[in-house]
């Protein structure tokens, strides 16, 4: 059985290449820089373009432009760069741009701790642009998952035409680990769905684009429209503003409502397609450990030790953070007396778990599970002890 | 709705090939109308397939412009149009990409213009320069002349106006023209700029009849005289040929495509380890001393011996000075938590590293081991201390092999796995020239025998 020894950054880049990524623009920032360096070195070998942009705003703008011209694009940064991405994340939502964004989280706020890990961006990734429309956020908890979830991110980006984030952290990206080659499963990535080629007579410029193609017609409302690239068989109009089925600006309330409902429902009506997690239940356990990213490793170590000491605990590693995997969570919360959530922030995801726990309890007329958050914000990884102490 | 003739292609391009039937939304007399008409004339002259033309419009009244054309369009965020255009051009160099941007966008996104000019990306940038923000109500912009009255400079603008054309021409743009909407050669210049194979910018001065004109008694005549008052010359200011940026990337692809990207370096376990429980080792050295790469070899040797390894490196952002500390865990089972509370083995090779591991020294017990080079033989700890002198190796000790010699000697002493596994790790992971030095150190390390310090 072959193994490899590598860091998360290498696994992410390999995932991107295997997913068919052909464009990368980034701006150096610890701990995301290794991804930029790998991409600049490797992407020409697969016919792609990778570059260092003049800033993060340019990096994501270039990714958006390149995607519209036919590329599969990714960018990578850390919290300060996500801040600069903010407005363009909104554009990518509005213009339905499939895009993969890696956030190698570091300690905040602001410049914070460049070389220290954290998970302070978890709510920010979800709510980091105006309007409140959904994005997808995945979180790998091992080097192998850095690979598989990058593929998954590219797949979901195509499926939903939306930015998909890979929420990692400094330790996940920079630490080296043994990887079983078999764990590097090549998750299938959907091809981009393109609008059908029109009959040749439509190439006659006397046809107006809007007479031959409606790039923004959503039928039914939760359906994701096929893409038409610049330079392809259709002429296509893309805009950051509220638009009609042609891509012309509109303020018609009925059309505005329909567009915005579409942006919401294309993801939220299909959220079960986005739910990924690793559930490790134990018979008779009424304590559930829950974590994502690097703390999930400490959590699994804690599970190992707890079970060896005779405790009964189940464990849930979330691979999807947004949309909140409510199906998985409500399933894992059944019959649980206490949930211990470990995070490298002050409980940003604990509140989501709490919300689901209370809702499920009310729904079933049972007492809600007690949700205990164990946090660490000093830049060091969460220790298995943190979970173990919260068992009793 | 579809009543147009389905004639065979190609058809001749006419004045309404690129311009659609919708009428402009601009105020009467607004300069934007003139520029867009000139753009249409230029497109008709250049005769590009509308499918291959992309208009990227910025924000402002100018941002409405793309809707009056029957070509591809991206209407993006304020100031970012040039960056989107760069991405478009890089992904598909056969496209003709034209940016429509206001003086407002030129201000907020100026850096993107300068960067695109420096790169010489083949874009055509039309600056709709009406000296104020039209859409938001006539506030001053980066090009507002000194003294001009706007909604935000009621006492007269105190800021020096930004010279777009000269800034871009001294920063790499390869076609730079400045003029006004009243220049009769505007369509020719736009056509010329589109045909130019590099970054082309036209700084087009115009009237905002809703704000700048009434607020400043501005007129066609004052506009045409403004160049003298501002000392900004008009006309074709710069033109040169220089390698284009999208072509540069195509060349990289042409040279490299097909080479294996990020090839896997499989480590197939073929050696045997005696380890039955996790083994935690910390190497504390100084930056530039190859601590991380040496630790990586030790970990990879473990993988080749069927062990699971993790490695967490700690070093300052200034990587050539200060400490470099690597934490390696080897275990017969998958290592989940990669932090080290108390190392089984601590190796100290530099004062910078020592400064970072005092907490370990305090916590370590007599069952654990500290290996030190001679300079650190007096460190105080309850752990067992062993002295390693790299000079015993009989080869010249350098900044780059000292840690290797020390670590290899320790690994020989610890006998966790066969030394051949280390040799194989070196051959797999390192470039031949580097591997040769590492193998020399590995061999020489046989002469370095750790000695107890009492
Ligand atoms: C980030 C951001 N800030 C502010 C605005 C509001 N805004 C809309 S148009 C505009 C100014 C546009 O001025 P200019 O580029 O000169 O275009 P004009 O209206 O004169 O054609 C501003 C600031 C915005 N859309 N986005
Ligand atoms: S406000 Fe100024 S720039 Fe906008 S349309 Fe009117 S005249 Fe033109
Ligand atoms: Mg303006």
């Amino acid at each position: 059985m072959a193994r490899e020894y590598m860091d998360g950054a290498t696994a992410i880049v390999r995932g991107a290449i295997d997913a068919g990524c052909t464009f990368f623009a980034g701006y150096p920032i610890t701990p995301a820089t290794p991804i930029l360096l790998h991409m600049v070195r490797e992407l020409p070998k697969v016919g792609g373009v990778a570059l260092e942009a003049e800033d993060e705003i340019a990096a994501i703008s270039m990714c958006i432009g390149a995607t519209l011209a036919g590329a599969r694009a990714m960018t990578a940064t850390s919290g300060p760069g996500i801040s600069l991405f903010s407005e363009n994340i909104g554009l990518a939502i509005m213009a339905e741009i499939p895009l993969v964004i890696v956030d190698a989280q570091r300690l905040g706020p602001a410049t914070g701790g460049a070389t220290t890990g954290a998970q302070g961006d978890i709510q920010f990734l979800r709510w980091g642009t105006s309007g409140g429309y959904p994005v997808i956020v995945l979180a790998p908890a091992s080097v192998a998952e850095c690979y598989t979830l990058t593929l998954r991110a590219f797949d979901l980006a195509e499926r939903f035409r939306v930015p998909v984030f890979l929420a990692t952290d400094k330790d996940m990206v920079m630490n080296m680990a043994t990887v079983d080659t078999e764990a590097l499963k090549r998750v299938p990535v959907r091809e981009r769905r393109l609008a059908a080629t029109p009959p040749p007579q439509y190439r006659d410029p006397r046809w107006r684009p809007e007479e031959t193609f409606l790039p923004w017609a959503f039928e039914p409302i939760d359906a994701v429209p096929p893409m038409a690239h610049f330079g392809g068989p259709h002429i296509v109009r893309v805009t950051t503003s509220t638009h009609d089925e042609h891509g012309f600006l509109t303020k018609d309330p009925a059309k505005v409502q329909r567009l915005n409902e579409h942006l919401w429902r294309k993801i939220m009506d299909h959220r079960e397609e986005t739910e990924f997690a690793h559930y490790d239940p134990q018979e008779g356990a009424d304590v559930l450990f829950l974590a994502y990213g690097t703390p999930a490793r400490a959590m699994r170590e804690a599970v190992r030790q707890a079970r060896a000491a005779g405790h009964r605990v189940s464990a849930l590693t979330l691979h999807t953070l947004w949309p909140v995997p409510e199906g998985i969570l409500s399933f894992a919360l059944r019959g649980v007396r206490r949930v211990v959530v470990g995070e490298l922030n002050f409980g940003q995801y604990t509140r989501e778990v709490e919300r689901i726990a209370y809702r499920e309890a009310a729904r079933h007329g049972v007492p809600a599970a007690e949700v205990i958050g164990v946090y660490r914000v000093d830049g060091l990884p969460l220790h298995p002890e943190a979970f173990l102490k919260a068992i009793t | 709705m579809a009543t147009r003739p389905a004639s065979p292609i190609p058809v001749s391009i006419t004045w309404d090939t690129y311009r659609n039937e919708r009428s402009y939304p601009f105020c009467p007399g607004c300069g934007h109308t003139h520029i867009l008409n000139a753009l249409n004339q230029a497109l008709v002259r250049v005769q590009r397939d509308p499918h291959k033309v992309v208009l990227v419009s910025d924000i402002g009244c100018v941002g409405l412009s793309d809707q009056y054309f029957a070509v591809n369009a991206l209407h993006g965020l304020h100031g970012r149009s040039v960056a989107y255009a760069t991405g478009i051009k890089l992904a598909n160099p056969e496209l003709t990409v034209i940016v429509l941007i206001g003086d407002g966008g030129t201000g907020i996104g100026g850096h993107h213009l300068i960067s695109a000019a420096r790169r010489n990306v083949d874009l055509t940038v039309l600056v709709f320069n009406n000296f104020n923000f039209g859409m938001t109500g006539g506030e001053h912009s980066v090009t507002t002349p000194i003294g001009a009255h706007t909604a935000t400079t009621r006492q007269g603008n105190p800021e020096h106006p930004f010279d777009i054309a000269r800034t871009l021409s001294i920063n790499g743009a390869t076609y730079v023209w400045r003029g006004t909407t009243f220049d009769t050669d505007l369509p020719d210049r736009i056509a010329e700029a589109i045909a130019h194979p590099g970054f082309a910018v036209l700084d087009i001065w115009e009237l905002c009849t809703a704000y700048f004109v009434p607020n400043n008694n501005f007129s066609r005549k004052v506009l045409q005289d403004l160049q003298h008052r501002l000392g900004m010359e008009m006309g074709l200011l710069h033109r040169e040929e220089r390698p284009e940026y999208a072509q540069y990337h195509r060349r990289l692809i042409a040279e490299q495509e097909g080479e294996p990207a990020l090839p896997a370096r499989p480590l197939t376990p073929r050696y045997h380890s005696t380890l039955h429980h996790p083994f935690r080792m910390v190497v504390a050295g100084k930056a530039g001393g190859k601590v991380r790469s040496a630790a990586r070899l030790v970990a990879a040797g473990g993988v080749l011996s069927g062990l699971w390894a993790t490695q967490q490196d700690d070093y300052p952002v200034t990587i050539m000075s200060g400490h470099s500390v690597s934490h390696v865990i080897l275990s017969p089972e998958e290592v989940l938590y990669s932090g080290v509370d108390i190392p089984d083995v601590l190796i100290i090779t530099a004062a910078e590293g020592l400064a970072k591991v005092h907490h370990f020294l305090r916590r370590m017990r007599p069952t654990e081991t500290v290996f030190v080079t001679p300079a650190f033989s007096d460190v105080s700890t309850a752990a067992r201390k062993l002295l390693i002198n790299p000079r015993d190796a009989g080869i010249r000790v350098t900044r780059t092999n000292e840690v290797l010699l020390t670590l290899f000697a320790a690994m020989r002493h610890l006998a966790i796995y066969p030394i051949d596994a280390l040799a194989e790790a070196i051959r797999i992971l390192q470039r031949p020239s580097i591997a040769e030095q590492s193998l020399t150190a590995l061999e020489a390390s046989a002469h370095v025998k750790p000695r107890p310090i009492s």
Side-chain angles (χ1 to χ4, degrees), chain B residues 39 111 133 188 231 247 257 263 274 278 300 326 360-361 373 402 406:
Chain B
L39 170 62
H111 190 23
F133 293 5
D188 303 315
Q247 292 309 323
E257 195 166 15
T274 54
S326 287
F360 288 140
L361 286 169
T373 48
E402 184 179 7
T406 310

Side-chain angles (χ1 to χ4, degrees), chain B residues 271-276 301-302 304-307 330-332 415-418:
Chain B
Y271 301 93
H272 181 73
S273 166
T274 54
L275 210 56
H276 295 293
L304 286 167
S305 309
L307 299 171
L330 298 173
S331 171
I416 291 170
Y417 57 72

Side-chain angles (χ1 to χ4, degrees), chain B residues 32 102-104 128-134 141 206:
Chain B
H32 292 6
D103 44 314
F128 292 52
N129 186 353
N130 56 14
F131 312 106
N132 73 170
F133 293 5
S141 78
E206 43 147 7

Side-chain angles (χ1 to χ4, degrees), chain B residues 194-239:
Chain B
I194 293 173
H196 174 77
F199 184 87
V201 57
L202 286 82
D203 177 10
I204 308 165
W205 293 7
E206 43 147 7
L207 301 179
C208 171
T209 49
Y211 298 108
F212 201 80
V213 166
N215 287 344
N216 294 283
N217 286 325
F218 208 58
S219 63
R220 172 179 180 160
K221 171 141 186 14
V222 186
L223 172 75
Q224 285 169 322
D225 286 347
L226 192 60
Q227 54 165 314
H228 305 300
R229 187 152 77 74
L230 297 181
M232 293 188 192
E233 67 281 36
M234 294 275 181
L236 182 62
L237 304 181
H238 186 73
R239 187 173 193 171

Side-chain angles (χ1 to χ4, degrees), chain A residues 3 42 88 178 206 231 237, chain B residues 4 7 52 84 262 267 309:
Chain A
R3 288 179 177 168
E42 302 297 330
N88 266 309
T178 304
R206 282 174 293 179
R237 183 175 296 291
Chain B
R4 281 167 186 275
S7 77
K52 304 292 178 196
Y84 303 123
L262 214 63
L267 300 168

